[in-house]
């Protein structure tokens, strides 16, 4: 794919999201010029503009967008266009109300904001293709247009699943496709339990409004079904864009900690992933239960480095997680964009504190260091109308530069060379395991996210770079593989992991690993199912610790206090490195080791960190004990030293200013050739 | 309007709410006699009595009410009758289920309690007129009947808005009336955002069940629409009562901290306002987020003086807030009634503590001091049946006097002369601003009520009397005008305020003042929109502080800690009197001053109090530093000194008993002629 | 009724719940053998097996169950069969969706878990009879089958009431049956209040979705109606089982702290009661507001002894509470079973901690000591599929013995002789009072359960055995009768209690006793209504204390602090033994005494314990001050000393190990002849 202007810069580029339709036409030229002057390269347009592009059914109005694109083009900006399908207009919804989604409570969700559609709706699919084709025909080969974003933030606002209408109608057919016979489905779901066996495909509905909890197998397959609807909805758009807009990239802007679909599946066929990075909103809105209240106060004005880093690393690895689907070797590089980068306060969390001075620059630098090739700020000018009137932009309502503007202007983009993130540690992340732990958490205080991010944070606190991958991805070349919460195990997955361990990798698994079969039952041979040989243990007990309870664990490093979760094992080849002290599991193994495979059964930040530090040391991965809020990230032979704390920190002789970063050239060159940015 | 008996007492009068239909007929005469003996003048009757007045469609049974009215009349009591429309009977609802309202979740709310109707229902309107006409024809000229109450507590239990049925059907027509064209509506609402533009009036629905938050402009107009339905529903009753019951007053009993409609609009056409005063229930049920948990414990048995005082002052000023509607000079005096006064425990809050000894007398005295001409206790005898069986009355279930009875008996009504409340400070209160801050709070801990009452409480803690007025009211004659949270600004409002300032008034604005246009957008020139010239500032930032964050402010009085909100300004004529220290706004103006106009950008009780004290001093309004829970209120040349604390307080040499008051004649006569009570 | 094998052991027997349909056939024989080897006598089968017994309408498949029953029979196990009506299969629900229940929010609750039916559905009744008849015809006289369980856990998951469909249709007819005329109903409900009077039976609907709270009389009668539906639903099954399976027992497995129906009514016609005992789940899921957070941590791994004991004692007394229904002298003995006994972690609470070592044995011993004849563990092997995959069994998923197994194996069943529980104290428990206090709690922190269990706990902490009985049960022979929260009083009940007191019993009543009439109104003569003469008091005030408020009470033992509730009395024959100090009720009686009748008006654990201790002493009931978590229970001349604490306790010279029990032969034989277990 050749970018239209053949430019291949070797450093980070910047952009912004702009909405010419929100302002008078006489602003457009000025805005384009000011964007160029600020050093921006990209502008994203037309994201929610359907009602302006097609004000009445079949009547298109291209004039304004033609003019807007030209205005930006004249200033040399490269345009990313969006399919506007996140916002079907009123005329379409009122003509076809069956497009509207149905929520888990059985309520039709209404027109009047955004994302008001059911991905499975055949009517909506037709209109989605129609508007995509129309836009692609009009702008697909425009010299300013370098790429496309499909829709916007799939599944945001809980819209990943519709529990009625078109989705409910399509679900049985999807199941028939998957299982062939009802006997197979009843067996896979264990429907004999509570007489839930089906005798006809038409008897099956979504798993909502059941009297008490639904069958987790039912929930798992409905989650897969819904995810597939999103994937095929997008695929229809991608196919049209490939046909009509050759040489342009196609991407989607994914969400923060979104659970509504399998991102690895939905990302298939895209050129690279992008995501929308709102560090303070993330901390206020998404972080409950993942980080504690103390951290939420401490990092209120920057967000938490590891929550942000987690998302960067997920999206960098998204298109490498395709191994299980036969896509190994497709060679998709690991670049990504931040399509929307917070540059002032957000408006959508319960509290929306102002970012600290320096935060916008720090976020940009971190994004680069984690592999972003482009960072695009949301939004150019704060909206003066409607739902996001309290959200900031680079410009204020009155068009004066807001606080982020100066930080962007001060960035020296050339200091951020492109190139590989040299991670030697892979952390495995799996949406099916996430759904299963969500369906039956067993502990109100330990979600999939909380369990998984705890391991990620421990690695980051040790100064280690991490690739986040699908559990069936190619693990070749990694020194350490961490599987914090891969509760679904398959025979194939067990073989794959064993191969990695045989190849020299060290494997660290968290609790609940391998508890479930692919259909969401428990393995009849007990956890860890087909991983038993590799790990050398069998589950004895799992203990869900209420907030007031802890469980002591003793090991060579001393004592630890587990909270939330503690499970123990019968040794079947492994040895115990840490043991429970007191309580119902007193004397039983808490952490085990068989060869290069370690299992950690107790949830304890300190224990996890201690075990990982030892394993990393053995694997020859250098670690460093970083102070809270100080983080290192490496890319292209350069190390980004970050201080996310609101106060200065002295570390290894350096004084790091509050909310700041330093770009440090490594004394030994990493040997990575900077690679061209993905400019489309 | 001449009261039937031409009596014009010059002091507070008392009454009670009685329900003869709840007790055997042989009680009526006794109750009337005992009421007279207790010193009561008024009795309110027939409030929810529709099913007894019209047991079957069109079949009226007047006999019992005739007899009851006569019983009270014989004892000289003056009767206030109610239209019984808060409780449409079963036969009406089952014949016309379309009368039932639809809640925000889309559920039809059912018969079986009260307020089960949609104000916009044409069918219900017809029956409301029919029963009003029938009652007015029967009793409109009865010598005992001195006035009417319409319905009961409009909007209570969230019934101010119906999100379906008749209201949903009427909303588009109301919008067409307001905007004329869809282009105008789309422009006013900013519907280009998220492609929410409408192409047909029929496409527009209420703003509920949207996938994520609805457009605040949509919410604002729906709130206005719903408020208008209440106003016109009542107007139909008022018109009939004026026609058929000449010489009687018409009022409505409004609620505590009710947000469901614009009280200034709905009060139009009434003779005076009344409200229902439940100080302990208010503290338990309505005060969360307005006062802290410590205050809720401390004042659990009295309620908080300033929450109660706020409501008194709102209702005293309700009919003076009509300036913007061309009603200036109509000369409605500022008297009001407490139509329902708690006289023992309530039953409707999560906790319902007993009032302290002395509380009933204190509440009565405070009501008078804030301008009440009549205080009417709810209810005469505790109900032995149905929903309010745990609510107290002056008599217990067994007809013995309950705790409030003795306090009422001990009141010397002649000690409470009528006359003006000599307020020199006006505080501006606006339901449209309330709706907008409610639609997009940006901070989970600072509601409109919390922000506004903080200013009111500061004034009260300085011993200052306050008139609460609509922001477009005539501000002539006030020394100080306080606008705590008037976030909606219009050009006309800006002119009006400027005129007041030019006329010598000092103006103090809180944060968020002038952020919004009349349609709920942000002013494109930025906050404070058209007030910029008057205030001499432009908004720089607003900071929503989560609970664990504070922001330091420095000023001439020392340092303050802002919480919940902090905004800063670019000076455009004003000077900074207080400045932020540290944090993202460090060094920026927190409080500004241009001539007589002050803007306070930081939310801090102490800061607000300090700034107001200075402004009041400059304006020549005397202040006094009152201990917590001690309050002063003045009327007709008399000062009521109140101690709301459960313990004795020594203040200025006096020892104030727990939960007590003293009526102090001012040494310098205030010169107010006591004016006659509004007796109808 | 003669058990099939004529064995009448004189000690506790054990069993388990097994689900052969969940495992391959080749497991059955092994499981049966292992059960016998473990010392189990009973096995419960076919609980939710409808879809396997009747896979398609009218097509029965008995082969698998025939084979399973034979497998257990061959090992000598006695089989309890279940009617599988808790889980109507998909083919039935999709053919007759009108069977589905409607929840309080008006939503139809869906197929996909269990209990998805409306008890009033005539269609479902027909199918319930049909499957019951088919099973009873097939197995009713099988030599292995000793008894039947109807359905499973009536009302679990809030399914006791359906607010639409068949229940809504049947409710008016039930009311007509009860009241005869609408005038009578309107009078009984007090419908004149808020014009709620009905003019046609068809106007009456369930009390849900009303705009604000519904009439408590409406709620009370709907609760009675719903309870009656459950009773008659079950009666239809019982009648068929009696006819077709003579000589077998019929029971039902009741729930923990279930409020959804009148257990005394629903138990009528059963041979004995059984219940499902999950001590840790009970503490996590049901105990909020009944015991404090500190206790919930302390007893997290055992459950709270008195919460468990409460349920045992309720179910032991269930079939003795029939006095008011003319069933006195039916002579139903007081044995019961624990049909499902937790033997490892549960899966259905927010947190699900592992039981302590020793807990399974302790629970079993306590069950016996409170009168259980059989304890049956849930379940034999942990399910590998569906909703309960995280719930433990005696065997793990991998068929190895789980933690409870060894404790069961170690039990010496012969140490637990059968016989009477020698309670001299009766505590009165009433579902109608529960419903009324639930409908109008007046205090968010004092539910019926919290108030009642506080008295029970005080008795238990004094080492006293307690019979829990219906307030209209025969009270003859009890030394002390405690009525903690019998808020509904009838004339007949007053006579019955007076008779008991005249007969020598001491009566202790808690607050709110006798406030309500049988239709849920307040007695017009005031609390305690018809009990006034017996108690010698009239209510003055009740005070609902918010969490931050307490009220001092002084008495001969010293001072106490009441919380949540404090009521005072006018003495009308009684004397005050304790008096309020300070506060609005300062100086008024808090505890009164007239002869042998005591009323406690203040809620205070210490006060209640002190008063009960005195009354017990006077009555000659021996008390002992037990440490927290130490409990005594007596049966058949033996005392079970229990330590529920996670640490050892020294008491009266003994050191009690953590979570342990001792069976102590009383020095003086109790003289009870051990009676045969109820084996069916």
């Amino acid at each position: 794919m050749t970018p239209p202007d053949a430019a291949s810069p070797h450093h980070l580029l910047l952009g912004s999201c702009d909405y010419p339709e929100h302002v008078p036409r006489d602003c457009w030229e000025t805005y384009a010029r000011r964007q160029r002057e600020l050093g921006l390269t990209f502008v994203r347009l037309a994201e929610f503009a359907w009602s302006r592009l097609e004000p009445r059914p079949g009547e298109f109005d291209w004039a304004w967008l033609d003019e807007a694109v030209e205005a930006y083009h004249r200033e040399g900006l490269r345009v990313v266009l969006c399919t506007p399908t996140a916002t079907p207009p009123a005329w379409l919804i009122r003509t076809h109300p069956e497009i509207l989604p149905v929520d888990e409570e059985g309520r039709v969700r209404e027109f009047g904001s955004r994302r008001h559609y059911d991905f499975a709706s055949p009517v909506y699919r037709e209109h989605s293709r129609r508007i995509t084709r129309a836009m692609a025909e009009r702008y697909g080969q425009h010299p300013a247009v370098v790429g496309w974003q499909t829709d916007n933030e799939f599944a945001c606002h809980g819209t990943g699943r519709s529990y009625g209408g078109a989705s409910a109608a399509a679900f049985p057919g999807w199941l028939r496709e998957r299982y062939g016979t009802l006997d197979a489905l009843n067996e896979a779901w264990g429907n004999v339990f509570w007489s839930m066996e089906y005798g006809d495909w038409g008897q099956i509905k979504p798993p909502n409004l059941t009297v008490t909890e639904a069958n987790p197998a039912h929930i798992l397959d409905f989650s897969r079904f819904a995810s597939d609807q999103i994937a095929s909805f997008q695929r229809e758009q991608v196919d049209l864009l490939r046909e009509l807009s050759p040489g342009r990239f196609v991407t989607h802007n994914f969400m923060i900690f979104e659970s509504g679909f399998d991102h690895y599946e939905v990302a298939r066929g895209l050129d690279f992933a992008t995501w929308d990075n709102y560090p303070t909103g993330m901390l206020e809105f998404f972080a409950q239960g993942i980080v504690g209240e103390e951290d939420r106060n401490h990092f209120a004005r920057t967000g938490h480095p590891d929550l942000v880093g987690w998302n960067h690393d997920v999206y960098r690895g998204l298109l490498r997680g395709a191994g299980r689907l036969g896509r190994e070797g497709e060679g998709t590089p690991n670049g990504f964009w931040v399509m929307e980068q917070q540059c002032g306060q957000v408006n959508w969390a319960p509290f929306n504190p102002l970012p600290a001075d320096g935060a916008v620059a720090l976020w940009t630098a971190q994004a680069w260091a984690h592999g972003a090739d482009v960072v695009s700020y949301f939004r150019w000018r704060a909206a003066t109308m409607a739902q996001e009137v309290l959200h900031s932009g680079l410009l204020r309502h009155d068009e004066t530069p807001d606080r982020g503007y100066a930080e962007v202007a001060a960035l020296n983009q050339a200091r951020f060379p492109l190139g590989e993130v040299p991670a030697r540690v892979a952390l495995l992340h799996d949406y099916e395991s996430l759904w299963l732990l969500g369906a039956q958490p067993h502990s109100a205080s330990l979600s999939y996210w909380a369990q998984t991010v705890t391991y990620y944070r421990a690695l980051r606190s040790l100064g280690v770079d991490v690739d986040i991958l699908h559990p069936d991805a190619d693990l070749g070349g990694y020194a350490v593989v961490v599987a914090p919460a891969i509760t679904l195990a398959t025979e194939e997955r067990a073989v794959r992991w064993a191969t990695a361990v045989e190849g020299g990798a060290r494997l660290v698994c968290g609790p609940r690993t391998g508890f479930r079969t692919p259909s969401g039952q428990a393995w009849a041979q007990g956890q860890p199912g087909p991983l038993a040989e590799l790990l050398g243990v069998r589950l004895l007990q799992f203990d869900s610790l209420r907030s007031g309870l802890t469980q002591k664990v003793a090991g060579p490093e001393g004592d630890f206090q587990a909270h939330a979760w503690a499970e123990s094992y019968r040794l079947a080849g492994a040895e115990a490195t840490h043991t429970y002290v007191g309580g119902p599991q007193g004397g039983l193994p808490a952490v085990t080791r068989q060869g290069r495979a370690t299992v950690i059964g107790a949830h304890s930040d300190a224990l996890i960190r201690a075990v990982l530090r030892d394993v990393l040391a053995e694997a020859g991965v250098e670690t460093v004990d970083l102070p809270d809020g100080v983080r290192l990230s490496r890319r292209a032979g350069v190390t980004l030293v970050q201080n996310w704390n609101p106060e200065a920190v002295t570390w290894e002789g350096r004084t790091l200013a509050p909310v700041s970063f330093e770009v440090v050239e490594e004394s030994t060159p990493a040997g990575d050739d900077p690679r061209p940015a993905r400019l489309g």
Side-chain angles (χ1 to χ4, degrees), chain A:
Chain A
M1 184 179 338
T2 309
D5 56 0
S8 296
H10 289 248
H11 60 69
L12 175 71
L13 296 178
L14 305 176
S16 82
C17 304
D18 202 0
Y19 297 86
E21 68 275 27
H22 293 182
V23 296
R25 290 195 182 204
D26 56 18
C27 297
W28 300 352
E29 196 160 338
T30 315
Y31 286 5
R33 180 177 46 74
R34 290 179 72 180
Q35 288 172 20
R36 178 181 51 73
E37 289 170 358
L38 182 59
L40 307 187
T41 302
F42 295 93
V43 64
R44 190 190 66 178
L45 298 179
E47 200 192 27
F48 299 117
W50 195 336
S51 74
R52 284 290 164 99
L53 294 173
E54 189 183 10
R56 280 158 299 277
E59 266 181 52
F60 292 97
D61 176 4
W62 303 115
W64 70 271
L65 187 55
D66 290 353
E67 187 178 332
V69 168
E70 283 310 317
Y72 293 97
H73 188 39
R74 275 196 300 275
E75 293 291 338
L77 288 157
R78 301 174 199 173
V79 172
V80 179
L81 284 180
C82 307
T83 62
T85 45
T87 50
W91 57 256
L92 176 53
I93 294 301
R94 295 304 181 225
T95 313
H96 292 290
E98 70 271 26
I99 290 170
L100 292 170
V102 176
D103 70 16
E104 201 165 355
E105 302 301 309
R107 301 172 303 191
V108 172
R109 299 309 293 260
E110 261 299 337
F111 181 85
S113 61
R114 59 178 181 177
R115 306 215 50 71
H116 38 277
Y117 68 87
D118 182 330
F119 284 99
S121 164
V123 174
Y124 194 53
R125 291 283 183 103
E126 180 195 327
H127 285 274
S128 159
R129 290 189 303 265
R130 203 177 49 74
I131 189 71
T132 299
R133 172 177 293 280
M135 284 191 75
E137 285 174 344
R138 184 82 184 179
Y139 301 106
Q141 310 212 31
H142 191 290
V145 173
V146 295
W148 294 85
Q149 171 189 304
T150 60
D151 202 278
N152 174 67
E153 296 177 348
F154 287 143
C156 186
H157 318 304
T159 57
R161 293 163 197 159
S162 173
Y163 290 86
S167 279
F171 184 41
W174 183 93
L175 290 168
R176 192 191 327 224
E177 193 76 25
R178 182 178 182 87
Y179 291 104
T181 69
L182 282 164
D183 281 354
L185 178 139
N186 285 325
E187 176 67 23
W189 286 15
N191 278 336
V192 62
F193 193 87
W194 291 354
S195 274
M196 297 179 295
E197 292 171 303
Y198 295 104
D200 188 285
W201 295 100
Q203 291 167 351
I204 311 173
K205 295 191 177 181
N208 64 316
L209 287 174
T210 50
V211 166
T212 181
E213 58 168 331
N215 188 337
H218 189 177
I219 294 170
L220 177 62
D221 268 343
F222 188 68
S223 302
R224 287 168 170 150
F225 158 77
S227 185
D228 273 8
Q229 302 313 304
I230 299 176
S232 61
F233 176 87
Q234 179 179 248
R235 195 173 311 121
E236 296 180 359
Q237 295 195 359
V238 173
D239 289 349
L240 286 163
L241 294 169
R242 294 294 182 212
E243 174 195 340
L244 299 167
S245 190
R248 275 72 179 178
F249 66 77
V250 183
T251 188
H252 176 75
N253 60 330
F254 293 98
M255 280 281 293
I256 298 162
F257 287 112
E258 173 59 53
S259 302
F261 56 91
D262 186 331
H263 288 52
Y264 295 101
E265 293 294 337
V266 170
R268 289 184 66 180
L270 299 179
D271 290 294
F272 54 86
T274 76
W275 75 288
D276 295 347
N277 182 22
Y278 295 94
T280 67
M282 186 188 308
L283 192 68
E284 294 291 335
F285 193 88
F286 294 98
Q288 190 152 27
I290 306 183
V291 297
E293 200 58 18
E294 204 176 327
D295 274 347
R296 293 173 85 193
N297 282 326
H298 187 71
F299 296 107
R301 297 195 181 285
T302 55
H304 191 285
D306 300 330
L307 298 185
V308 184
W310 165 269
N311 283 279
H312 284 313
D313 291 348
V314 163
Y315 292 111
R316 186 179 74 247
L318 205 56
L319 284 151
R320 280 169 44 167
R324 67 192 160 129
L325 300 163
R327 285 176 288 142
E328 283 166 295
E330 276 185 17
T332 308
N334 66 356
F336 70 99
W337 286 25
V338 174
M339 187 61 95
E340 299 182 8
Q341 173 61 58
Q342 175 178 358
C343 57
Q345 84 284 350
V346 304
N347 71 312
W348 41 264
F351 295 96
N352 301 286
L354 277 181
D357 281 336
V360 174
L362 176 60
W363 295 331
T364 305
Q366 184 203 28
W368 157 77
H370 282 250
D373 294 340
V374 172
V375 170
S376 163
Y377 300 97
F378 181 86
R379 50 189 277 167
W380 172 245
R381 179 187 170 196
T384 57
M385 78 281 276
Q387 279 89 340
E388 293 181 353
V389 77
L390 293 159
H391 198 291
S392 60
L394 289 169
L395 302 187
R396 292 192 185 86
H397 294 129
D398 66 2
E399 300 182 321
T400 58
D402 203 348
R403 56 190 306 111
Y405 188 97
E407 296 188 23
V408 173
L411 284 173
N412 179 353
Q413 300 171 34
R415 295 218 55 198
F416 304 114
L418 302 191
E420 293 299 320
V421 170
R424 299 185 58 209
V425 176
L427 185 147
L428 306 183
H429 170 48
D430 174 34
Y431 291 90
E432 295 183 326
S433 291
L434 186 164
W435 296 331
L436 283 166
L437 289 177
Q440 298 197 312
H442 202 69
S443 159
S445 67
L446 192 65
S447 67
Y448 174 90
W449 292 122
Q451 184 167 322
T452 300
V453 172
T454 299
Y455 282 76
Y456 179 79
R457 194 165 51 197
L459 291 167
R460 281 286 164 198
S461 78
L462 292 164
V464 171
D465 294 301
V466 181
D467 279 347
I468 298 177
L469 297 177
H470 190 276
D472 295 333
D474 179 7
L475 301 174
Y478 288 102
V480 176
V481 175
V482 181
I486 307 300
T487 204
L488 188 158
T490 63
E491 302 282 359
E492 298 73 14
R493 188 167 293 175
V495 170
R496 187 175 291 269
W497 292 9
T499 304
V501 172
E502 283 155 21
R506 279 152 215 283
L507 173 68
V508 180
C509 297
R512 311 198 260 192
T513 299
F515 181 75
R516 301 273 185 175
T517 71
S519 64
Q521 298 194 21
W523 283 103
Q525 68 266 49
Q527 182 182 312
L531 293 163
E533 199 180 338
L534 174 61
L535 303 179
V537 298
R538 291 294 186 108
L539 180 71
L540 282 175
Q541 321 280 170
F542 44 84
D543 188 14
S544 152
L545 297 158
R546 78 192 322 270
S547 310
L549 286 184
T550 55
Q551 168 66 54
K552 190 162 151 188
V553 178
E557 309 88 348
D559 290 346
F560 302 92
Q561 290 296 338
H563 60 97
W565 197 271
E567 63 184 39
S568 59
Y569 310 100
R570 178 160 61 81
L571 300 175
E575 60 182 339
T577 60
H578 298 68
T579 307
Y580 292 110
V581 178
Q585 297 181 103
L588 296 176
V591 181
T592 68
R593 179 81 180 258
Q594 176 176 262
R596 287 187 290 274
T598 296
V599 180
I600 303 176
H603 193 71
S604 152
D605 295 22
L607 173 64
I608 291 164
R609 197 166 184 271
V611 173
L612 286 173
R613 188 201 281 109
D614 290 348
V615 171
L616 290 162
E618 290 177 17
V621 177
E622 192 190 359
T623 63
V624 51
D625 285 325
L626 293 171
D628 278 356
V630 173
R631 289 294 180 262
L632 306 182
S633 310
R634 297 171 195 81
R635 187 180 188 190
V638 175
T639 297
L640 187 77
V641 182
Q642 307 145 57
N643 179 18
W644 290 68
N645 295 292
E647 60 276 331
V649 174
T650 300
W651 175 68
E652 302 211 336
R654 295 167 195 267
T655 296
L656 306 170
V659 189
S660 71
F661 63 87
E662 298 182 16
V663 181
V664 181
E665 305 285 331
E666 296 187 3
S667 44
T668 321
D672 282 306
D673 280 336
R675 89 193 138 68
R678 303 192 54 76
L679 306 182

